[in-house]
Amino acid sequence: MTVSVILFTSDLRVHDQPALAAAVREADEVVPLFVLDRGVRRSGFDAPNRLAFLADSLTALDEELRERGGRLVLRTGDVAEQVGRVVTETGARTVHLAAGVSAYARRREDRLRAGLSGLRCGLRVHEGVITVVPPGAVTPANRDHFAVFTPYFRRWAEVAPRRVLAAPRSLTVPELPGHPLPRRRSVTGTAPALARGGEREGRERLRRWLARDLDGYAEHHDDLPGDATSRLSPNLHFGTLSAAELVQRARGRGGPGHRRSSGSSPGGTSTTRCWRPGPTPPTPTTARAATGGAGTRGRSPPGRRAGPAAPSWTPGCGSSATRAGCTTGPGC
């Protein structure tokens, strides 16, 4: 009986989930694992809105997995230590992980790889789970990264996202202990209008946005009193929606055109970046995912950058991030 582990981080979904699909494909049994990472919590992640949205998302992920015969295994503590324990308990030979783009995520990968090597367990890091195009795939001639945002976006828009994957039909999870899932009702101090987290909520929000708001998004996404933002930032941040699927569905809904109005200072320092898309926007929220891509991990050379620094979205740029309070904090 072969066993693989899928370590969820900022990819809390079953639809269009390359890491989960690979784990299910290669092994008889799969451990869907999430670790409440103390390192992330120490970074200041524990704002009430984030914790509530995360609780919703983990509960929803567990429900999706149970519908397919599985369940989510929750552990708490140091990620490398907890993953090593699961590998030892189950005899797993591979751990699958979505590629991260933050320094924290890369350090986590290094620690996991080092710890698993002693257990004779491999680590497969998958691009294109939380991002749209591969790091380093969008570069100017004779340089390894763009310093200005607009030409970067022009090139980014020309890159075709990977194929969208269906959710697995079934999976089998071995018997092993886990902690109770967190619940939104245990979190105090949340915003009154905080959106519900989870994959189904996110997919329904995307469906409504594509059906009702996409056509007028270019003209109205900066209208804060009109509340015309997509409200998809927290779903993309926690990975309850796939950035690649969102881009493909938006392009398919509205056609290939884009208009742009954005900028950054030389060297990639973020300034105001307001998408002004045509009929098929990447949306402000998907822009955060523009520096990753498909396939098994292939890192860019040290120091290489796929594009300008990740933008810090403001409400004036049509981001719903600050309302949900959950687009900051490493590795989540």
Side-chain angles (χ1 to χ4, degrees), residues 161-249:
R162 59 167 174 77
R163 179 174 63 91
V164 172
L165 303 176
R169 294 183 178 182
S170 65
L171 69 159
T172 302
V173 179
E175 289 295 328
L176 73 164
H179 298 163
L181 297 175
R183 302 293 180 183
R184 172 186 278 233
R185 62 176 176 268
S186 66
V187 182
T188 60
T190 59
L194 179 67
R196 302 292 303 184
E199 182 172 11
R200 290 185 182 178
E201 292 283 344
R203 294 182 74 82
E204 175 60 20
R205 195 171 297 123
L206 172 61
R207 185 197 65 77
R208 292 196 302 266
W209 180 71
L210 291 172
R212 300 187 317 199
D213 302 323
L214 180 60
D215 290 341
Y217 188 77
E219 288 71 31
H220 302 300
H221 72 280
D222 287 339
D223 179 9
L224 292 186
D227 192 19
T229 64
S230 71
R231 290 180 171 265
L232 296 175
S233 283
N235 298 100
L236 289 166
H237 177 75
F238 285 93
T240 60
L241 280 180
S242 158
E245 182 181 5
L246 191 157
V247 168
Q248 290 201 27
R249 291 181 63 180

Side-chain angles (χ1 to χ4, degrees), residues 1-325:
M1 187 73 68
T2 58
V3 181
S4 63
V5 177
I6 161 68
L7 176 62
F8 288 95
T9 53
S10 52
D11 51 345
L12 305 179
R13 64 181 187 274
V14 298
H15 291 85
D16 195 40
Q17 229 296 15
L20 175 62
V24 171
R25 185 171 57 247
E26 77 167 21
D28 301 312
E29 295 183 331
V30 175
V31 181
L33 175 66
F34 185 86
V35 178
L36 289 171
D37 184 355
R38 289 172 180 162
V40 171
R41 302 185 74 171
R42 284 194 298 268
S43 73
F45 175 82
D46 284 3
N49 286 354
R50 298 187 190 120
L51 291 177
F53 200 94
L54 175 62
D56 286 346
S57 301
L58 293 175
T59 298
L61 177 59
D62 182 62
E63 291 172 353
E64 293 284 351
L65 292 167
R66 287 181 184 276
E67 287 185 2
R68 292 160 174 82
R71 62 189 174 90
L72 182 64
V73 177
L74 182 73
R75 297 287 178 94
T76 301
D78 176 80
V79 172
E81 179 182 325
Q82 294 301 320
V83 171
R85 288 182 179 179
V86 169
V87 167
T88 300
E89 292 167 16
T90 62
R93 285 292 167 258
T94 310
V95 173
H96 296 263
L97 173 69
V101 296
S102 69
Y104 185 91
R106 296 193 181 205
R107 290 195 299 269
R108 178 175 58 201
E109 289 175 24
D110 292 340
R111 294 183 63 242
L112 281 168
R113 189 171 286 107
L116 293 174
S117 64
L119 300 175
R120 297 184 179 180
C121 179
L123 178 66
R124 288 190 60 195
V125 183
H126 298 262
E127 303 285 358
V129 183
I130 65 172
T131 55
V132 179
V133 299
V138 180
T139 56
N142 303 319
R143 295 188 62 187
D144 65 357
H145 68 276
F146 282 94
V148 179
F149 186 74
T150 300
Y152 169 62
F153 173 61
R154 291 195 186 104
R155 288 285 305 279
W156 177 87
E158 295 170 355
V159 177
R162 59 167 174 77
R163 179 174 63 91
V164 172
L165 303 176
R169 294 183 178 182
S170 65
L171 69 159
T172 302
V173 179
E175 289 295 328
L176 73 164
H179 298 163
L181 297 175
R183 302 293 180 183
R184 172 186 278 233
R185 62 176 176 268
S186 66
V187 182
T188 60
T190 59
L194 179 67
R196 302 292 303 184
E199 182 172 11
R200 290 185 182 178
E201 292 283 344
R203 294 182 74 82
E204 175 60 20
R205 195 171 297 123
L206 172 61
R207 185 197 65 77
R208 292 196 302 266
W209 180 71
L210 291 172
R212 300 187 317 199
D213 302 323
L214 180 60
D215 290 341
Y217 188 77
E219 288 71 31
H220 302 300
H221 72 280
D222 287 339
D223 179 9
L224 292 186
D227 192 19
T229 64
S230 71
R231 290 180 171 265
L232 296 175
S233 283
N235 298 100
L236 289 166
H237 177 75
F238 285 93
T240 60
L241 280 180
S242 158
E245 182 181 5
L246 191 157
V247 168
Q248 290 201 27
R249 291 181 63 180
R251 288 176 177 174
R253 166 68 174 76
H258 298 80
R259 296 196 306 277
R260 297 160 294 270
S261 176
S262 54
S264 68
S265 60
T269 303
S270 175
T271 59
T272 302
R273 307 192 197 287
C274 297
W275 295 105
R276 298 195 184 278
T280 57
T283 82
T285 51
T286 57
R288 300 193 54 195
T291 57
T296 303
R297 185 57 154 225
R299 277 285 180 217
S300 303
R304 183 167 184 169
R305 296 165 56 197
S312 177
W313 297 106
T314 66
C317 291
S319 171
S320 57
T322 54
R323 292 186 186 138

